[in-house]
Amino acid sequence: MASERTVAVVPAAGRGERMGGATNKAFLPLGDRPLLAHALGVLETCPLVDEIVVAVGEGEEDACRREVLEPFELRKVTGVIRGGASRQESVRLALRYVGTGAGLVVIHDGARPLLPHELLVRTIEAGRRSGAAVVGLPVKDTVKRVGADGHVAETLDRRRLWQIQTPQVFWRDLIQMAHARAAERGVIATDDAALVELLRHPVLVLEGLEENIKVTTPFDLLTARAILASREKARA
Ligand code: C5P
């Protein structure tokens, strides 16, 4: 039955400007495969995920199939779509592609290649129960709001601050409604949970893992390589 299905939506259409190059970072090599193949691989091997829809940049659809899906046998990917100008737009387009063909949606950044399997499972189970579950980490540094004049405007209470990652898991109808409402009202957010919060549905936060990094800068790529190397060493 369609409503029993769990579909993963993977936004991977960023331009990678903070990486300093012109190519989409999703195609950059990490170990023996492109970054995106790692992120999709975790979803592919998870028995709780039935299908995957990935959003890539305009004109990158064929390269995605040729360089990522075919060589690494990512057979659960049923849709490669063109993303939008923002992450939110890429997710909205992917959700439109999903239509009513799922009961649960797992949103996971294509730029997070090192998501541990057990964290994915834990988040899916929590999302299925509660309708909205995300992973995050308590912040380690002190966070201040800094004014346009370069001076501190406010020091925030660190004990209540978390950095939010993906995966983010939602009931399919809830997340589609949240994106539709945001589009109507012109609300822009940097994650999907923020749009669900606007509907006043509670969002459960699970403690994630530091290794689930988002690769944004060249430094992050170095970190990702080190994490991967230490995993391979542990396995040897
Ligand atoms: O830019 P940010 O770091 O928030 O990107 C998170 C994820 O969203 C990345 O996997 C990136 O490829 C994706 N993204 C997208 N469409 C955009 C911008 C970012 O799918 N227009």
Side-chain angles (χ1 to χ4, degrees):
M1 204 170 82
S3 63
E4 298 294 321
R5 292 180 75 73
T6 297
V7 176
V9 159
V10 177
R15 300 284 5 120
E17 277 152 17
R18 287 166 289 177
M19 192 55 80
T23 40
N24 182 346
K25 64 192 174 195
F27 297 96
L28 290 178
L30 171 62
D32 67 348
R33 59 195 65 197
L35 208 82
L36 179 59
H38 288 272
L40 295 176
V42 180
L43 298 161
E44 174 85 22
T45 53
C46 179
L48 300 182
V49 174
D50 297 301
E51 233 175 276
I52 305 168
V53 175
V54 56
V56 293
E58 184 176 1
E60 291 174 350
E61 296 93 330
D62 283 347
C64 179
R65 287 192 195 91
R66 220 177 34 245
E67 294 172 31
V68 180
L69 306 187
E70 285 159 18
F72 302 103
E73 301 184 344
L74 297 161
R75 299 203 176 90
K76 283 187 188 169
V77 178
T78 53
V80 179
I81 65 149
R82 190 166 108 190
S86 65
R87 181 190 182 283
Q88 183 174 323
E89 185 65 1
S90 295
V91 173
R92 193 179 69 77
L93 294 169
L95 289 171
R96 192 171 73 183
Y97 184 90
V98 171
T100 56
L104 202 65
V105 173
V106 179
I107 302 175
H108 182 57
D109 289 331
R112 289 188 193 271
L114 299 172
L115 168 65
H117 172 76
E118 79 59 44
L119 182 57
L120 172 62
V121 169
R122 220 156 28 91
T123 317
I124 292 176
E125 285 169 350
R128 184 176 288 139
R129 280 193 305 272
S130 67
V134 303
V135 297
L137 287 174
V139 301
K140 290 189 292 192
D141 296 320
T142 297
V143 181
K144 297 181 191 288
R145 198 163 57 75
V146 179
D149 63 357
H151 291 79
V152 172
E154 187 189 1
T155 298
L156 302 165
D157 178 0
R158 189 171 69 184
R159 290 169 303 175
R160 289 274 158 267
L161 291 175
W162 287 57
Q163 290 175 221
I164 301 303
Q165 309 172 335
T166 68
Q168 304 199 346
V169 180
F170 308 97
W171 291 332
R172 190 266 307 157
D173 47 359
L174 177 66
I175 191 62
Q176 283 176 335
M177 188 188 301
H179 270 268
R181 193 67 58 83
E184 267 164 39
R185 295 185 186 167
V187 173
I188 311 242
T190 49
D191 80 342
D192 303 284
L195 308 180
V196 169
E197 290 155 35
L198 289 177
L199 298 181
R200 305 207 178 283
H201 186 100
V203 176
L204 183 67
V205 181
L206 307 179
E207 184 148 0
L209 291 164
E210 274 186 307
E211 63 199 275
N212 182 28
I213 60 163
K214 182 169 70 172
V215 176
T216 305
T217 63
F219 179 79
D220 299 329
L221 198 54
L222 281 178
T223 310
R225 289 196 177 119
I227 296 168
L228 196 63
S230 88
R231 278 186 188 176
E232 274 159 13
K233 203 164 155 197
R235 240 184 267 128

